[in-house]
Amino acid sequence: MVELAFLGCGGGRYQVIAQHFKTGGFRLHAGVKIHVDPGPGALLLSHQHNLDPLALDCVVATHCHPDHYCDAEVLIEAMTQHMTRRRGVLIGSESVLKGMGKFGPAISRFHQGKAEKVVCLRAGESYELGDIKVETTPTKHGDPTTFGLKIHSQKGIIGYTNDTQYFDELAKHFIGSRVLIANVTRPLAMRIPWHLCSDDLITLLNKVKPELAVMLHMGMLFLKHPPEKEAKRIKTATGVETVPGYAGLRVNLDKKVKFKRPTKQPSLEAFVRLPPERIEV
Ligand SMILES: [Zn+2]
C-alpha cells in the first residue's frame, strides 16, 4: 500500500501562530513510514489522526523554518523508541543539520546522534530507503538550502514543491508525478517573494498534469479566500482534481488515486470572526 496522510494545510509565520489550518506536515506510508516537515503540532496531530509516531522509519526536515522542523526532535525521540535505540533515518537540509549562515542548526547533536543514519541532502541528490527513493528538487526560497521532493514509490511518483517561488524550470522537476503536493502561501495572484500563489499552481498543474494536487502551507489570506473555493477554481482552470491538505486527509495511490476528506474540517465560521484588519500574511 502507498498512502499519504496529511496533518494540516497551514503555513507562514502568521498562520503558524493562529493554527486555523494546522501545521503538522504529512506522512508517507509505504514499506517504510516517513514524516515530512513536522511543523508545530505534528506530534499531537499524529495522535489525533491515529498515526503512530513510534512506527516512523524516517523524518525529513527540508529547511530551517519552524513550520517545517519544529516537532522534528520529538518525532526523532519516537522513531528511536524514546531514544533507547539508534534507529531510523533523519534527512535534512544543510541548514537544519549543520547550520548555514543565520539558519540553524535546528536539530540538536544529541537527537541527530540517535538516528541510525543522518543524511544531508542538497537539491539534485537522492537517497534510497526501503522501497522508496527520495530525490530532491531545487527551490527559490529564503533558506537557500531548501529542497523539494520527488518521492519514487512502488505506486508512482509523489512530488512536493515545498516552499518556493515560481520559476521557469520548476514544472520540469515534477513531470510524471501522480500526486503533486504544492505549498501555496497566497490565494489568487497575490504573489510574494519565495512562495507560490494559487495562480502559480495553475501554471504548474497545466504543465505537470498530475492525477491529484494537494494544497499546503496556506497563509492568513485564505481566510478571505477559503481553501475549498480556491481548490475548485484551480480544478476548473486545469482539469486537475485539487484538494486542501486538511489534517486527516488521506490519499491512496494503489490504483486510481483516491482521496478521503477528513470528517471534521476547519469551520469557516471560526475564520470569519477575525476582523479584516487582523488578516495579514
Ligand atoms: Zn519556508
Side-chain angles (χ1 to χ4, degrees), residues 63 65 67-68 141-142 146 162-163 195 217:
H63 67 287
H65 288 151
D67 42 351
H68 297 255
H141 194 48
T146 305
N162 199 359
D163 292 1
H195 292 280
H217 207 279

Side-chain angles (χ1 to χ4, degrees), residues 25-77:
F26 65 92
R27 284 182 41 156
L28 171 73
H29 302 150
V32 289
K33 292 188 172 61
I34 303 174
H35 197 129
V36 178
D37 280 353
L43 177 65
L44 186 58
L45 286 155
S46 298
H47 288 298
Q48 285 175 342
H49 294 279
N50 296 318
L51 301 168
D52 184 3
L54 294 165
L56 288 174
D57 302 295
C58 178
V59 174
V60 181
T62 60
H63 67 287
C64 211
H65 288 151
D67 42 351
H68 297 255
Y69 73 70
C70 189
D71 276 10
E73 287 182 344
V74 285
L75 290 186
I76 291 165
E77 295 199 0

